[in-house]
């Protein structure tokens, strides 16, 4: 079964039409990678799928490696396996039309580790929303723009926490109640309530991420392995500690590509990054990682399981693992990683 990642979900695909004629680009033609960053040392590949007006046309489409906005090489079997570090752009072609381009970053974990680089820092961005909320689509758009900036590309893990609609879950409601939100939209970065944003402005969101990035000089490393067997999804998280202290860990499931009504939005509005389950209880507390204070260099593991029968759409389900430690007496997200259910995400370095 093909694994799909929404362009808006991980906030992950840089869009560009440079060099392509505008009349050749179809916004209804969408190219989706199952990963947007790959480790050249791990023999990792990117698998692509293509939809046209939400209809799967992968088998009929062609995918090209792009350079300067022009196609240079056609991919075989919809798969790309990079061997060199770099940034690669791709576009799909179907019925003489091209999709907008998507970006994939190839990195070397071995090189990063050998050079003693810090772990790659990502931010958990809680987007409090509702299908009844007139300004929520504007906030989602602002978050999308912030995440596609050069500064924060592939550094944003959005979690759409719904309120008073069909997508609301108990843990999301509890968090909204505890923080006393009486109107939406709201965005909170890295579970730090002091970053609360109500203005639908990408620059405000970027400022909040800069603020929480400064909390930790050396973020921890987060690695995910997941698998399915029978009616069980198993998630194995590994965390490498870089600064001594007490840590907590959280595990979330998100769902992408759900067409549902949304006030002040087009009829076939696509919801993504929908929080569907918290496998670790309270979003801002999680569960203890390890036992007591951990030391720099410690490698700690934690496993979670979830029943597959409770997952409405496994192909469009993402796993999010985030690690928290205290800043000014409050649990704040130190780092976060994500992958599609059944796949993995290795360590990445700056």
């Amino acid at each position: 079964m093909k694994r799909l990642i929404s362009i808006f979900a991980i906030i992950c695909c840089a869009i560009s039409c440079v060099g392509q004629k505008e009349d050749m680009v179809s916004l209804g033609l969408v190219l989706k990678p199952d990963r947007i960053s790959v480790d050249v040392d791990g023999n990792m590949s990117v698998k692509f799928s293509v939809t046209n007006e939400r209809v799967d046309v992968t088998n009929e489409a062609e995918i090209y490696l792009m350079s300067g906005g022009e196609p240079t090489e056609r991919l075989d079997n919809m798969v790309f396996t990079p061997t060199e570090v770099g940034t690669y752009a791709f576009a799909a072609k179907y019925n003489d039309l091209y999709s907008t381009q998507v970006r994939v970053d190839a990195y070397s974990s071995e090189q990063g580790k050998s050079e003693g680089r810090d772990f790659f820092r990502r931010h958990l961005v809680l987007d409090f929303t509702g299908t009844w909320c007139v300004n929520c689509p504007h906030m989602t758009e602002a978050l999308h723009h912030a995440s596609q900036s050069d500064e924060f590309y592939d550094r944003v893990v959005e979690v759409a926490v719904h309120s008073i609609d069909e997508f609301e879950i108990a843990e999301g409601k509890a968090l909204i109640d505890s923080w006393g939100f009486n109107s939406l939209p709201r965005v909170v970065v890295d579970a730090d309530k002091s970053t609360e944003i109500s203005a639908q402005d990408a620059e405000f969101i970027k400022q909040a991420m800069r603020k929480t990035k400064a909390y930790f000089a050396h973020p921890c490393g987060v690695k995910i392995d997941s698998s399915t067997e029978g009616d069980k999804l198993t998630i194995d998280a590994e965390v490498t500690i870089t600064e001594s202290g007490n840590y907590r860990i959280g595990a979330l499931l998100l769902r992408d590509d759900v067409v549902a009504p949304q006030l002040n939005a087009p009829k076939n509005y696509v919801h993504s990054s929908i929080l569907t389950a918290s496998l670790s209880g309270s979003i801002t507390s999680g569960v203890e990682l390890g036992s007591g204070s951990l030391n720099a260099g410690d490698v700690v593991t934690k496993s979670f399981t979830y029943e597959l029968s409770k997952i409405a759409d496994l192909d469009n389900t993402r796993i999010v693992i985030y690690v928290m430690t205290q800043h000014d007496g409050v649990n704040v997200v130190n780092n976060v990683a994500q992958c599609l259910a059944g796949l993995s995400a290795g360590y990445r370095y700056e």
Side-chain angles (χ1 to χ4, degrees):
M1 297 169 68
K2 297 180 177 64
R3 303 291 190 181
L4 307 179
I5 292 182
S6 165
I7 290 180
F8 293 102
I10 321 242
I11 316 290
C12 55
C13 298
I15 297 177
S16 171
C17 298
V18 177
Q20 290 174 256
K21 296 180 180 179
E22 291 184 3
D23 59 356
M24 294 178 61
V25 176
S26 170
L27 296 179
L29 186 62
V30 179
L31 174 63
K32 298 180 180 181
D34 67 350
R35 308 173 188 268
I36 61 162
S37 56
V38 289
D39 186 355
V40 298
D41 302 314
N43 195 33
M44 295 173 67
S45 298
V46 182
K47 295 182 180 179
F48 293 93
S49 61
V50 184
T51 58
N52 185 47
E53 303 297 341
R54 299 191 58 78
V55 176
D56 190 342
V57 295
T58 303
N59 293 333
E60 295 79 35
E62 299 173 347
I63 299 177
Y64 290 91
L65 181 65
M66 308 292 286
S67 178
E70 297 294 338
T72 60
E73 179 183 341
R74 180 181 173 181
L75 295 190
D76 294 328
N77 302 318
M78 304 293 180
V79 174
F80 175 65
T81 306
T83 57
E84 296 182 359
V85 172
T87 298
Y88 300 86
F90 300 88
K93 183 180 180 182
Y94 176 73
N95 286 346
D96 294 326
L97 294 174
Y98 283 91
S99 69
T100 51
Q101 294 180 40
V102 300
R103 167 180 160 184
V104 173
D105 283 346
Y107 62 91
S108 168
S109 60
E110 290 299 325
Q111 180 180 350
K113 183 177 181 179
S114 66
E115 294 177 355
R117 299 180 191 172
D118 285 333
F119 288 108
F120 192 81
R121 174 72 156 99
R122 292 186 174 93
H123 299 273
L124 186 77
V125 180
L126 301 171
D127 179 14
F128 295 91
T129 186
T131 58
W132 49 268
C133 171
V134 66
N135 288 321
C136 286
H138 300 309
M139 181 66 88
T140 300
E141 183 179 0
L143 180 52
H144 178 67
H145 287 306
S147 69
Q148 290 199 14
S149 65
D150 288 341
E151 183 179 3
F152 290 105
Y153 179 77
D154 196 24
R155 294 182 183 273
V156 177
V157 178
E158 178 194 359
V159 177
V161 184
H162 279 254
S163 175
I164 320 176
D165 64 17
E166 62 182 296
F167 303 121
E168 180 183 75
I169 68 169
E171 291 84 357
K173 182 180 185 303
L175 182 55
I176 290 172
D177 291 344
S178 69
W179 279 348
F181 293 155
N182 54 22
S183 65
L184 300 180
R186 290 288 190 278
V187 157
V188 173
V189 174
D190 291 328
D192 178 6
K193 177 69 163 52
S194 73
T195 66
E196 178 186 342
I197 302 164
S198 59
Q200 299 99 62
D201 190 308
E203 188 55 39
F204 289 171
I205 298 171
K206 289 192 283 187
Q207 289 174 5
M209 289 190 285
R210 294 181 192 119
K211 176 182 177 179
T212 59
K213 180 183 178 181
Y215 291 169
F216 309 109
H218 306 288
C220 63
V222 184
K223 178 182 177 181
I224 308 172
D225 287 303
S226 70
S227 61
T228 58
E229 183 176 358
D231 188 42
K232 185 169 66 175
L233 169 65
T234 300
I235 304 165
D236 297 313
E238 180 180 294
V239 179
T240 297
I241 304 301
T242 53
E243 296 181 339
S244 300
N246 293 294
Y247 287 81
R248 304 188 71 81
I249 188 170
L252 307 175
L253 296 183
L254 310 182
R255 185 181 176 188
D256 297 321
D257 287 352
V258 179
V259 178
Q262 172 66 51
L263 192 62
N264 197 29
K267 180 179 180 180
N268 294 322
Y269 188 80
V270 180
H271 297 265
S272 287
S273 303
I274 302 170
L275 175 63
T276 58
S278 173
L279 282 59
S280 48
S282 167
I283 295 171
T284 54
S285 297
V287 295
E288 185 177 21
L289 181 62
S291 179
S293 182
L294 301 175
N295 298 314
D298 285 350
V299 178
V300 192
T301 60
K302 182 68 178 179
S303 295
F304 303 89
T305 60
Y306 196 71
E307 294 177 23
L308 289 177
S309 57
K310 295 181 179 179
I311 299 177
D313 183 1
L314 184 63
D315 281 353
N316 286 313
T317 293
R318 271 184 295 135
I319 298 164
V320 173
I321 297 292
Y322 59 101
V323 177
M324 297 176 286
T325 190
Q326 293 224 329
H327 175 79
D328 288 343
V330 177
N331 288 329
V332 176
V333 174
N334 178 290
N335 213 346
V336 58
Q338 65 176 347
C339 68
L340 285 170
L343 297 184
S344 62
Y347 289 124
R348 183 176 178 182
Y349 298 82
E350 296 286 359

